[in-house]
């Protein structure tokens, strides 16, 4: 589920992601493309391989787009996984949380097992100012809240090939 608080400043967007089922959503507004997704759980080698293929498809989609891109998704993978590293390399997106601490998202109601499996990735055209875990909203995942802006210094027509 993608939520957009209203109103928001013209140069700033705040988006939150909470899991709501499998699939991919592509949404564009004001020159920003947001990809939302939910990858398979990695339960066993066959399903983990399926999840890894879903991550490769998301990477190819993100890489094929022009202009500023955010990928907001329950990837069912932590930032410590080789599958996550592969997603970053293939998509040429950066992790919004990199260098900004740990933001656990799941399982919301069992802190001893907290993992960060819901992620925000961004293209070079997006400047991320803040990342945080949002408040509990009834889901088994906490939302990820990102505050940022379009980076006007970048050429937004540049492809990430």
């Amino acid at each position: 589920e993608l939520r957009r608080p209203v109103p928001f400043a013209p140069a700033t967007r705040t988006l939150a992601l909470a899991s709501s089922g499998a699939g991919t959503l592509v949404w564009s507004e004001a020159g920003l493309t947001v990809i939302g997704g939910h990858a398979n759980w990695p339960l066993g080698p066959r399903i983990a391989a399926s999840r890894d293929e879903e991550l490769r498809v998301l990477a190819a989609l993100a890489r094929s787009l022009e202009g500023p891109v955010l990928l907001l998704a329950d990837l069912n993978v932590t930032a410590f996984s080789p599958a996550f590293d592969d997603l970053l390399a293939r998509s040429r997106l950066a992790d919004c949380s990199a260098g900004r601490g740990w933001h656990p998202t799941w399982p919301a109601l069992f802190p001893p097992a907290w993992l960060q499996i819901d992620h925000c990735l961004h293209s070079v055209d997006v400047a991320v100012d803040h990342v945080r875990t949002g408040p509990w909203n009834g889901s088994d995942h906490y939302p990820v809240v990102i505050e940022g802006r379009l980076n006007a210094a970048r050429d937004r027509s540049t492809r990430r090939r």
Side-chain angles (χ1 to χ4, degrees):
E1 173 181 353
L2 218 42
R3 298 183 192 180
R4 183 180 54 177
V6 179
F8 50 81
T12 303
R13 301 287 189 259
T14 301
L15 301 169
L17 169 75
S19 298
S20 63
T24 301
L25 165 74
V26 178
W27 173 68
S28 292
E29 179 180 308
L32 173 67
T33 300
V34 177
I35 304 168
H38 188 198
N40 270 320
W41 296 0
L43 299 175
R46 197 175 99 222
I47 298 174
S50 173
R51 187 267 330 263
D52 293 348
E53 177 59 25
E54 290 170 347
L55 298 182
R56 286 189 287 274
V57 168
L58 283 171
L61 172 61
R63 192 169 179 162
S64 73
L65 297 170
E66 294 184 25
V69 174
L70 282 177
L71 188 152
L72 303 169
D74 174 353
L75 298 175
N76 275 308
V77 66
T78 70
F80 306 106
S81 168
F84 187 78
D85 289 340
D86 185 59
L87 171 63
L88 293 178
R90 288 174 184 263
S91 67
R92 293 196 180 161
L93 297 176
D95 183 0
C96 294
S97 295
R100 293 182 172 89
W102 182 60
H103 306 283
T105 59
W106 180 87
L109 300 178
F110 192 62
W114 274 351
L115 296 170
Q116 183 176 355
I117 61 173
D118 301 273
H119 298 274
C120 168
L121 307 180
H122 68 94
S123 64
V124 296
D125 328 75
V126 176
V128 176
D129 298 319
H130 302 283
V131 177
R132 66 182 169 82
T133 303
W136 185 66
N137 60 10
S139 172
D140 62 330
H141 293 246
Y142 283 107
V144 177
V145 179
I146 302 96
E147 295 178 27
R149 58 199 142 68
L150 298 181
N151 187 348
R154 296 290 304 179
D155 175 7
R156 293 193 182 111
S157 65
T158 303
R159 279 191 176 273
R160 292 171 298 284
R161 293 206 182 256

